[in-house]
Amino acid sequence: MESILVITTLPDREKALALARKLVEARLTACVNVMAECTSVYHWQEKCETAGEVPLFIKTTARHYSRLERLIVSAHPYELPEIIAVPIKGGLPAYLKWIADETPLSDEE
């Protein structure tokens, strides 16, 4: 079972926690780390912008990525949310098994 780390950012802690709970309750992720606020500097609509954001580290399996992406997009307040999936090439085997066990396949997959 291939484990992945999905990263996204939200504009504030309240929205970050709400999305984290939604993803865990949907059993699309075993765990979401809601990180401390950071400052992002980026180009958007021909301007250099600076904004406070709250990163989420989402641990899941590759088989859930499509559904997870759709749920993030549908619940996300940004027009173009950051959603990046990074393969987990190694880790504590028992922890990686826990990720797989906590994200069972559903009838929708």
Side-chain angles (χ1 to χ4, degrees):
M1 193 64 52
E2 182 187 5
S3 296
I4 61 173
L5 173 68
V6 178
I7 303 166
T8 191
T9 55
L10 281 291
D12 59 57
R13 190 160 195 80
E14 182 180 331
K15 288 180 178 62
L17 285 168
L19 179 58
R21 288 186 190 286
K22 185 177 280 198
L23 296 173
V24 170
E25 288 171 357
R27 302 296 299 264
L28 293 176
T29 180
C31 176
V32 179
N33 298 116
V34 179
M35 308 304 284
E37 183 176 318
C38 66
T39 301
S40 296
V41 180
Y42 54 94
H43 272 108
W44 181 247
Q45 299 180 342
E46 304 299 319
K47 295 189 305 189
C48 185
E49 301 282 349
T50 302
E53 295 186 299
V54 176
L56 297 182
F57 289 0
I58 304 161
K59 277 78 72 164
T60 189
T61 57
R63 68 184 180 196
H64 286 301
Y65 179 78
S66 294
R67 274 191 66 214
L68 185 120
E69 180 186 271
R70 285 193 304 272
L71 199 152
I72 292 172
V73 168
S74 71
H76 209 288
Y78 292 168
E79 181 181 340
L80 179 61
E82 171 187 9
I83 304 173
I84 299 171
V86 181
I88 297 174
K89 293 294 184 187
L92 181 67
Y95 185 81
L96 299 178
K97 181 182 180 313
W98 175 74
I99 291 172
D101 290 348
E102 292 302 315
T103 56
L105 285 174
S106 71
D107 293 336
E108 298 175 36
E109 297 173 278

